[in-house]
Amino acid sequence: MSQDLKKMYRTIAGDNFPPRMEVSFVDDKGRQTLFYEKVGWDIEGQIKGLRYGENPGQEAALYRLVNGNLVLGQTRTILPGRFLVSDIELLQSGKHPGKTNLTDADNALNILRYFKDRPTAVIVKHNNPCGVSRADSLETAYLKAYMADRVAAFGGCIAVNRPVDKATAQAIAEQYAEVVVAPEYEEGSLEILARRKNLRVIAIKDMARLNDYVGERVIDFKSLMDGGVIVQWSFVPQTLTKEDLLPAEAVFEGKTHKVARQPTDAQYRDLLFGWLVESGITSNSVIYVKDETTIGIGTGEQDRVGVAQIAVDKAFRKLADRYCWEEFNTPANDMTDREKLNSIMERVKNEKGGLPGSAMVSDAFFPFPDGVTVGLEQGVTSVIQPGGAMNDHLVIEAVNKAGATMVFTGQRSFKH
């Protein structure tokens, strides 16, 4: 007997989580408690919470922090009542959000908070960015982020830091996305987005204060299979400006090794842009950035050489798909005209996937020069990484030999 497998995605799990939650930290000085309340939305006259968790059948609930003030040592949690993702306004839902929709939106905002001076678009899929770009207009930023990885952007979450105008709404409506998040929507844009009936259109009015969340910490909980819990403070990037960067130098056997040249202003922009995007990417990761747009993102690999190679491969494949789409309105995977496809592939090969002149970003140090060499061989001209490896001097020599430049952040940026 055949089974309707699509039914599982139409089923709303509901949840039996209580309306309130308290988390207490206790020591000999007393008790500090964080108070939470469950979030729901009015969907066609019924108050509903999350559609389901990571998979259909998993109950899930969203809570917002409403009271309490946890202070541990010199660090304190974000103050209660400063709602952002936990207090979204659903302007259009079709299907109301599930857990992955909100965690994707949250990570998009996690990245977006570092960019306020120019229109920026972040597209997240499975809690990792697949395209991020800054530009002079919101439409351009979105289109560059989308074309950075058009394939992965299918069904993703789009977050932007400016009100959505009609031109940007039109560009978004031409693609399939699950969620779009913006501070507000200009007149006429919602009608355009309404063409996508199941698109979750979310307004977060406090996004105007998104930059205020830079440096703020929250308690990060990780539950273990046996019911145990690991608790940590959330990650805060320390390198936010050119002045925060450290010179790439290392002392080995009494000799000081330094990069031969400093980055240009344009390279500094790409390096800092890439490092802040990196804070929202699952480690082990390496990414390539050019003109403040991601062009190759490698995530979650076990070795640094491998992830650098994967990011190169993605840069090649995504550029080939982009050219096929722009010239023939056909995805590269669907091209049946082998002559046209071969011509595109030859062009991408000659352009080295668009990597020449790009910045290479690594969330941890390169233990050996083989990792950074992967990027340098493709024409990377600048590198940013934490530094601190035993073989920093060899990595510096490799960078100098390639005529590139490199800076250190002095901070690892792992995200698991």
Side-chain angles (χ1 to χ4, degrees):
M1 184 173 66
S2 63
Q3 184 178 0
D4 181 5
L5 297 179
K6 296 184 180 65
K7 183 179 179 181
M8 74 171 112
Y9 299 103
R10 296 193 298 266
T11 302
I12 301 174
D15 75 82
N16 291 293
F17 287 94
R20 287 169 295 280
M21 177 176 68
E22 299 177 7
V23 177
S24 293
F25 294 77
V26 183
D27 60 17
D28 54 6
K29 297 179 182 178
R31 178 189 301 266
Q32 297 185 74
T33 302
L34 299 176
F35 299 88
Y36 301 82
E37 65 180 22
K38 192 163 71 169
V39 177
W41 302 280
D42 188 334
I43 307 293
E44 297 178 348
Q46 293 186 14
I47 300 300
K48 297 179 181 180
L50 292 182
R51 187 176 182 85
Y52 45 66
E54 290 176 346
N55 298 290
Q58 284 182 261
E59 292 186 16
L62 170 64
Y63 290 88
R64 58 188 170 198
L65 178 64
V66 295
N67 209 339
N69 186 15
L70 178 65
V71 180
L72 301 175
Q74 300 300 312
T75 308
R76 65 175 63 233
T77 58
I78 193 169
L79 293 176
R82 296 179 61 197
F83 306 135
L84 201 68
V85 186
S86 59
D87 196 32
I88 63 173
E89 181 183 3
L90 277 175
L91 301 181
Q92 173 185 301
S93 59
K95 299 175 182 177
H96 55 290
K99 185 257 187 187
T100 56
N101 297 136
L102 287 193
T103 51
D104 281 355
D106 178 68
N107 199 31
L109 295 180
N110 174 49
I111 297 170
L112 203 56
R113 64 175 151 175
Y114 299 109
F115 308 113
K116 68 174 183 176
D117 56 332
R118 295 176 67 203
T120 306
V122 179
I123 305 176
V124 170
K125 186 73 170 290
H126 297 304
N127 212 34
N128 271 307
C130 51
V132 185
S133 182
R134 302 170 80 190
D136 292 331
S137 75
L138 188 63
E139 180 188 13
T140 300
Y142 167 70
L143 288 173
K144 289 177 72 175
Y146 175 72
M147 294 307 296
D149 193 340
R150 196 187 58 81
V151 176
F154 181 86
C157 170
I158 302 162
V160 297
N161 65 349
R162 296 288 190 276
V164 173
D165 53 30
K166 290 197 288 187
T168 306
Q170 181 63 46
I172 292 172
E174 290 176 0
Q175 326 303 335
Y176 172 67
E178 292 239 338
V179 180
V180 58
V181 181
E184 55 185 296
Y185 298 82
E186 294 183 1
E187 184 177 354
S189 61
L190 286 175
E191 288 78 4
I192 295 171
L193 294 173
R195 299 173 193 166
R196 294 287 183 176
K197 298 188 182 301
N198 284 328
L199 176 67
R200 288 87 161 175
V201 178
I202 294 174
I204 300 182
K205 297 188 183 303
D206 275 352
M207 277 181 68
R209 296 190 297 106
L210 188 58
N211 191 248
D212 294 345
Y213 288 78
V214 172
E216 298 275 10
R217 291 188 185 270
V218 298
I219 291 291
D220 190 358
F221 296 94
K222 171 62 180 178
S223 296
L224 306 178
M225 63 169 290
D226 63 356
V229 176
I230 297 174
V231 183
Q232 69 172 2
W233 287 115
S234 57
F235 177 72
V236 171
Q238 296 170 354
T239 299
L240 301 175
T241 67
K242 171 182 173 180
E243 290 71 30
D244 297 327
L245 293 168
L246 304 172
E249 61 180 54
V251 178
F252 182 73
E253 295 183 347
K255 179 182 177 182
T256 299
H257 299 253
K258 298 181 180 181
V259 287
R261 66 176 183 84
Q262 296 302 307
T264 64
D265 288 342
Q267 287 173 331
Y268 271 122
R269 283 194 295 272
D270 278 349
L271 292 167
L272 288 167
F273 173 84
W275 180 250
L276 294 171
V277 169
E278 181 69 78
S279 68
I281 298 177
T282 304
S283 53
N284 232 355
S285 62
V286 165
I287 69 173
Y288 300 102
V289 168
K290 192 173 184 179
D291 299 328
E292 295 186 290
T293 300
T294 57
I295 58 175
I297 299 178
T299 68
E301 269 300 298
Q302 293 84 356
D303 72 278
R304 196 147 299 277
V305 178
V307 77
Q309 292 169 333
I310 286 172
V312 166
D313 176 65
K314 289 178 73 173
F316 275 69
R317 288 189 293 109
K318 304 309 179 180
L319 185 59
D321 179 75
R322 172 187 160 189
Y323 286 162
C324 287
W325 186 257
E326 288 177 342
E327 295 187 23
F328 307 112
N329 200 32
T330 303
N333 290 336
D334 294 340
M335 284 286 290
T336 56
D337 189 320
R338 303 307 299 179
E339 184 176 347
K340 290 180 179 178
L341 180 60
N342 289 339
S343 175
I344 291 286
M345 297 305 291
E346 186 65 23
R347 177 182 171 190
V348 170
K349 180 181 177 181
N350 291 335
E351 296 177 5
K352 291 189 172 182
L355 289 164
S358 67
M360 185 180 193
V361 185
S362 176
D363 60 4
F365 63 58
F366 291 102
F368 305 99
D370 52 359
V372 75
T373 298
V374 171
L376 296 172
E377 288 178 343
Q378 301 301 325
V380 161
T381 56
S382 60
V383 180
I384 186 169
Q385 54 127 329
M390 295 293 292
N391 291 318
D392 273 348
H393 63 291
L394 297 179
V395 177
I396 290 171
E397 287 180 6
V399 169
N400 284 339
K401 184 178 180 180
T405 185
M406 181 168 64
V407 292
F408 291 160
T409 65
Q411 178 191 31
R412 194 173 71 178
S413 182
F414 271 2
K415 179 176 183 287
H416 284 88

